[in-house]
Amino acid sequence: MTLHLPNPDGTLRAYEPRTEPVTVSLGSAFTSRTVFSAAHVVADPFADTTPDGPAAVDWDATLAFRRHLWSHGLGVAEAMDTAQRGMGLDWPTAAELIRRSAAEAKHAGGRIACGVGTDQLTATAATTLAEVRTAYEEQLAVVEESGAQAILMASRALAATAKGTDDYLDVYGHLLRQATEPVILHWLGPMFDPALEGYWGSSDLDAATDTFLEVIAAHPDKVDGIKVSLLDARREVDLRRRLPQGVRCYTGDDFHYPELIAGDDQGFSHALLGIFDPLGPLAAQAVRVLDTGDTEGFRALLDPTVALSRHLFQAPTRYYKTGVVFLAWLSGHQSHFTMVGGLQSARSLPHFARAYELADGLGLFPDPKLAQERMRNLLSLYGVNQ
């Protein structure tokens, strides 16, 4: 059945949905790259809550989605910005998510790393660095006690409180000395969170990079790797070439991930990506092709997905989570299109229509008829008659 999809100018275009999904298969663990998918949370659609209230999570559906990712060989990056940290997912609920997902990972034999931040702390003019450290320590303890690897996320409170580069060196040095196992350091750019402008003590990215590298160089034994989300492929390549031996670069660049994972004659990036939430099975298949040394085959599978990723992550980039959950709904991973904090309202109907069209064209929907029916229902809800 033809769908009539809305354009941004108010007109409609005819689209013929595909009838068969792309064929993907389960396989062995990856051998050439370490790959995490940052995973979204499934809201409880029947909870009587408000956008500024505590998050209500459908735990069964949320954990089932993590099992889906693990079944394809992907690691799960838990309680990250894809899970709406700082955009609807409060710290008490995030802590419960970490505990539940870590326990599920042990049962399923899946790899998991969890976000450590300071979002239980609302920074004010009176906030001190000691309070920021304490907030980080509380979350680090929760992650380590769960048995998961820690990802030290960028902190809004630290960005608001730090007076310069020395404060970043002090806080991160303290945390790395305290960590029991090597962590992943996460540099999230302001396009993902405007409150992180000037992170590492400078809005000059060259100066910020030098500080970031200084943190790593002081504690290389405590840094498993870095996750870079700056949407700047050249800068990521330059940065990974300057890392100490044994410290990995996990790309978080949802615009250039195929080329960065493929790498060059001087190295490559591993991956920790939000776009691998909707792309999970296809991304896993591509990495297994890369494991055989077939870079061209890897790029042939993954390059066509970039248009969808760039669409979902278009400015304001921080609202990409809405598109990720929308595609999870169309794919049948959840029964509804509701998000914690009401974030399903953050993108427009033309944006959703284009996301559907791009994802369907890639064959991402396991049941194209279900996706078509749900898209038709959404269009009808918005008053677009078919």
Side-chain angles (χ1 to χ4, degrees):
M1 176 187 292
T2 301
L3 285 180
H4 294 92
L5 303 178
N7 297 308
D9 63 2
T11 60
L12 298 176
R13 66 183 182 279
Y15 177 70
E16 294 291 336
R18 65 185 294 160
T19 58
E20 298 294 334
V22 67
T23 301
V24 295
S25 58
L26 302 179
S28 57
F30 308 138
T31 58
S32 65
R33 304 289 189 274
T34 300
V35 181
F36 290 95
S37 167
H40 74 281
V41 293
V42 183
D44 179 354
F46 302 117
D48 185 11
T49 188
T50 59
D52 57 353
V57 174
D58 180 336
W59 294 112
D60 289 342
T62 293
L63 294 176
F65 187 76
R66 279 127 183 88
R67 291 192 294 271
H68 155 72
L69 294 173
W70 287 320
S71 74
H72 288 279
L74 297 161
V76 168
E78 186 58 277
M80 302 290 290
D81 58 298
T82 304
Q84 295 180 243
R85 290 291 292 274
M87 292 185 70
L89 189 73
D90 54 281
W91 166 240
T93 309
E96 181 68 12
L97 175 64
I98 288 166
R99 294 185 183 102
R100 287 176 181 252
S101 292
E104 195 72 21
K106 291 177 185 176
H107 179 75
R111 183 166 184 169
I112 189 168
C114 299
V116 171
T118 63
D119 46 323
Q120 75 273 49
L121 176 65
T122 300
T124 68
T127 300
T128 65
L129 284 180
E131 290 172 321
V132 174
R133 286 195 301 269
T134 298
Y136 262 130
E137 288 170 345
E138 177 189 352
Q139 296 199 14
L140 180 61
V142 169
V143 171
E144 291 190 334
E145 288 166 7
S146 77
Q149 183 178 17
I151 303 171
L152 294 187
M153 301 192 299
S155 162
R156 291 176 180 174
L158 180 56
T161 305
K163 299 298 190 291
T165 58
D166 287 346
D167 288 342
Y168 286 91
L169 295 171
D170 174 69
V171 170
Y172 277 91
H174 177 85
L175 293 169
L176 289 172
R177 286 190 296 272
Q178 183 172 318
T180 58
E181 299 291 339
V183 307
I184 298 172
L185 296 180
H186 186 190
W187 185 358
L188 191 69
M191 67 289 293
F192 287 92
D193 187 343
L196 300 177
E197 177 66 44
Y199 211 73
W200 304 112
S202 178
S203 294
D204 180 327
L205 290 180
D206 291 334
T209 298
D210 289 342
T211 302
F212 187 42
L213 288 167
E214 187 174 349
V215 168
I216 299 164
H219 307 277
D221 59 319
K222 288 296 186 74
V223 181
D224 164 71
I226 62 169
K227 195 263 192 181
V228 188
S229 299
L230 298 176
L231 303 183
D232 184 333
R234 179 199 59 78
R235 184 169 295 279
E236 179 175 322
V237 170
D238 290 345
L239 176 56
R240 79 184 183 203
R241 290 175 180 172
R242 296 173 65 188
L243 291 174
Q245 185 71 27
V247 176
R248 306 176 190 182
C249 179
Y250 294 92
T251 187
D253 188 329
D254 301 277
F255 282 7
H256 308 98
Y257 51 94
E259 66 194 74
L260 290 165
I261 297 170
D264 54 31
D265 58 359
Q266 296 186 54
F268 56 82
S269 295
H270 300 271
L272 197 165
L273 289 160
I275 192 57
F276 280 6
D277 181 302
L279 292 183
L282 183 58
Q285 182 165 304
V287 175
R288 289 192 179 92
V289 171
L290 185 61
D291 285 345
T292 69
D294 184 1
T295 303
E296 290 186 3
F298 166 80
R299 295 292 299 267
L301 284 170
L302 216 53
D303 282 359
T305 69
V306 172
L308 171 62
S309 189
R310 285 176 175 259
H311 178 72
L312 296 184
F313 284 78
Q314 69 183 224
T317 301
R318 61 189 179 278
Y319 294 124
Y320 77 87
K321 298 95 166 168
T322 303
V324 165
V325 175
F326 170 66
L327 294 182
W329 172 56
L330 293 185
S331 296
H333 293 298
Q334 53 195 79
S335 62
H336 58 87
F337 181 34
T338 304
M339 299 176 67
V340 298
L343 204 66
Q344 68 271 11
S345 65
R347 293 293 201 188
S348 69
L349 184 61
H351 180 88
F352 293 138
R354 182 59 177 156
Y356 164 75
E357 187 176 15
L358 290 168
D360 184 67
L362 292 168
L364 291 186
F365 301 126
D367 184 345
K369 290 184 178 179
L370 174 65
Q372 179 181 340
E373 178 184 353
R374 290 184 170 182
M375 189 67 214
R376 185 171 63 249
N377 289 340
L378 183 69
L379 293 167
S380 177
L381 180 66
Y382 276 80
V384 181
N385 296 318
Q386 297 299 310

